Amino acid sequence: MQLRHTALAALCAVSLSAFAGEGQPHWSYTGKDDPTHWGELSPAFVTCKLGKNQSPVDLSSANAKGDNSVEATYPPLAYSVENNGHTIQATPTDAVKTLKLGGEAFTLKQFHFHTPSEHTFLSKYFPMEAHFVHQNERGELAVIGVMFEKGAENAALAPLLAKPLKAGEKTAIADKLDIAALFPKDQNHFRLNGSLTTPPCSEGVNWIVFKTPVEASEAQFKAMEAMIGQANNRPVQPLNARIVIEE
C-alpha cells in the first residue's frame, strides 16, 4: 500500500509500554473506572482529565490544507492476536519499518480495534475503528485511524476473528497476514495532534484518520464485539485550539 501526502509535525516522545497499559492501575470503559474517572485513578493518568489535546475528536471539517509526504507500505507479516481485556490487538512478530513521515521511518508496533468507533465524522459513529500504532527510534508515536462500515466481508479481518479469544488469551495466525484490505483505496485523510485514547492519555501523538471507511460484514462486527465484550470507545473530546489539516 502506498500513501503520499504530508511531512508531519514533530511528535512528542510517548512510551509504547504506556499505550499497551503495562504496570498501570485498573481502568475500564464502564462503572467506577470508566473514562469519566480515568484522570482520578492515578497521578499517572492526570492528563486524561487535564490535557488540552485529547483524542478522539469529532472530525466535522478541516481548517487547513496540507500537501507534504507520507509513505506507508505494509508487506504480509506474521502476527499474533490477543484479547488484552480492553481490545483485540494484532502484533507483528517482526519489527518492520512500514511508515515514513517526512522521510523519517516508523515501525508498525501493533493494531487494534474499537467498537463502535472513537472518532466521529459530523457526529456520526461507525460500527468499528482500527488504530495502527507506529513508533520511531525516539519513541514518538503516529497512529493511523481507519473507519469501518457495514458491507462485504473483509478478507483481512477473517484470520483475526477465526478463533474467539477470551480476555488474556493469545494465539498466532498460521499464515502471514496481508492487511491491505484494512485500508481504503481513497486515502484522503484528516491529520491533527492528539493523544492516546486509553490511559495514561499521553499527548503528542500524531493522528492520521482516513476519511473513507472500509467495509466489513455485520457478522464480523458481531464477532469482534463479542470478543471485546463491551463498547470500548472513549467519548469524543473537545478539539480546543487544535488545527485539523485535510490532505
Side-chain angles (χ1 to χ4, degrees):
M1 186 186 79
Q2 295 292 329
L3 311 180
R4 299 193 180 278
H5 297 294
T6 269
L8 304 179
L11 303 172
C12 296
V14 180
S15 167
L16 193 68
S17 64
F19 196 100
E22 296 175 3
Q24 294 182 353
H26 180 268
W27 58 271
S28 181
Y29 288 98
T30 59
K32 61 182 178 61
D33 299 328
D34 74 2
T36 62
H37 298 100
W38 285 353
E40 303 160 4
L41 298 177
S42 166
F45 295 175
V46 69
T47 303
C48 299
K49 181 178 181 179
L50 301 180
K52 300 300 183 183
N53 294 323
Q54 290 290 289
S55 296
V57 298
D58 178 62
L59 295 167
S60 299
S61 61
N63 45 22
K65 291 282 187 178
D67 188 20
N68 295 331
S69 163
V70 176
E71 300 178 23
T73 303
Y74 298 93
L77 296 171
Y79 287 86
S80 63
V81 183
E82 67 177 311
N83 182 337
N84 64 17
H86 298 299
T87 187
I88 302 303
Q89 178 177 304
T91 304
T93 58
D94 295 319
V96 178
K97 291 180 171 62
T98 56
L99 179 66
K100 286 187 177 180
L101 306 182
E104 184 170 2
F106 285 73
T107 298
L108 177 65
K109 305 302 291 186
Q110 48 102 332
F111 64 91
H112 62 270
F113 298 89
H114 296 270
T115 58
S117 69
E118 295 203 300
H119 291 88
T120 58
F121 292 177
L122 296 171
S123 300
K124 173 188 174 182
Y125 285 92
F126 290 83
M128 187 167 74
E129 179 176 351
H131 292 165
F132 298 83
V133 184
H134 306 79
Q135 187 177 43
N136 67 11
E137 292 181 353
R138 295 193 301 277
E140 299 166 343
L141 295 181
V143 182
I144 294 177
V146 178
M147 307 297 159
F148 286 78
E149 64 181 0
K150 188 168 75 171
E153 181 174 309
N154 190 300
L157 280 177
L160 303 174
L161 300 170
K163 180 180 179 180
L165 299 174
K166 297 179 181 179
E169 290 186 338
K170 184 176 182 178
T171 188
I173 297 178
D175 300 315
K176 288 187 176 182
L177 180 63
D178 184 353
I179 63 173
L182 301 181
F183 294 88
K185 292 181 180 179
D186 181 354
Q187 294 171 356
N188 292 331
H189 57 264
F190 294 107
R191 178 169 58 84
L192 74 160
N193 288 322
S195 74
L196 306 181
T197 66
T198 59
C201 308
S202 306
E203 296 184 342
V205 177
N206 210 124
W207 279 91
I208 303 164
V209 182
F210 284 120
K211 297 171 68 176
T212 302
V214 173
E215 289 187 358
S217 69
E218 184 174 3
Q220 288 179 314
F221 292 139
K222 288 182 178 179
M224 184 68 75
E225 290 167 359
M227 273 204 284
I228 295 173
Q230 61 182 335
N232 68 334
N233 61 325
R234 186 189 190 191
V236 167
Q237 304 296 302
L239 187 61
N240 294 323
R242 281 177 283 178
I243 295 174
V244 177
I245 299 171
E246 187 175 18
E247 299 178 322

